[in-house]
Amino acid sequence: MRVIIRAIIAVVVIFVTAHFLNQQKNLSTIDYYKNKVMDSKPVQELLNSEPVQKIRHIDLEELLPSDFF
């Protein structure tokens, strides 16, 4: 019985989320807040920090054997 109730709740949540994301004005609002967060100073400092830059420039072929590629 619990499994059926959880499945029903999951389906309802999926439908509500799909309905919410289907509206164009909500998508533009989400995009606006995403851009606002990405342009904020703390996020930009994190993205431009030295550890993140090192991770961006890692060559996977140097770390893994060529059999994986």
Side-chain angles (χ1 to χ4, degrees), residues 2-16:
R2 289 182 183 173
V3 173
I4 294 172
I5 293 172
R6 288 181 182 172
I8 291 171
I9 291 172
V11 169
V12 169
V13 167
I14 290 170
F15 280 124
V16 169

Side-chain angles (χ1 to χ4, degrees), residues 34-47:
K34 176 196 65 108
N35 290 336
K36 188 175 177 180
V37 168
M38 289 303 294
D39 291 338
S40 67
K41 186 176 179 178
V43 172
Q44 288 301 315
E45 287 176 356
L46 175 71
L47 291 175

Side-chain angles (χ1 to χ4, degrees), residues 54-64 69:
K54 285 182 180 179
I55 291 172
R56 282 184 176 175
H57 298 296
I58 288 178
D59 188 16
L60 289 178
E61 291 180 358
E62 293 176 5
L63 298 176
L64 298 172
F69 294 104

Side-chain angles (χ1 to χ4, degrees), residues 23-53:
Q23 298 173 357
Q24 186 65 22
K25 64 180 182 178
N26 288 334
L27 286 177
S28 63
T29 303
I30 292 170
D31 193 42
Y32 168 76
Y33 284 115
K34 176 196 65 108
N35 290 336
K36 188 175 177 180
V37 168
M38 289 303 294
D39 291 338
S40 67
K41 186 176 179 178
V43 172
Q44 288 301 315
E45 287 176 356
L46 175 71
L47 291 175
N48 294 327
S49 66
E50 187 176 336
V52 173
Q53 292 301 319

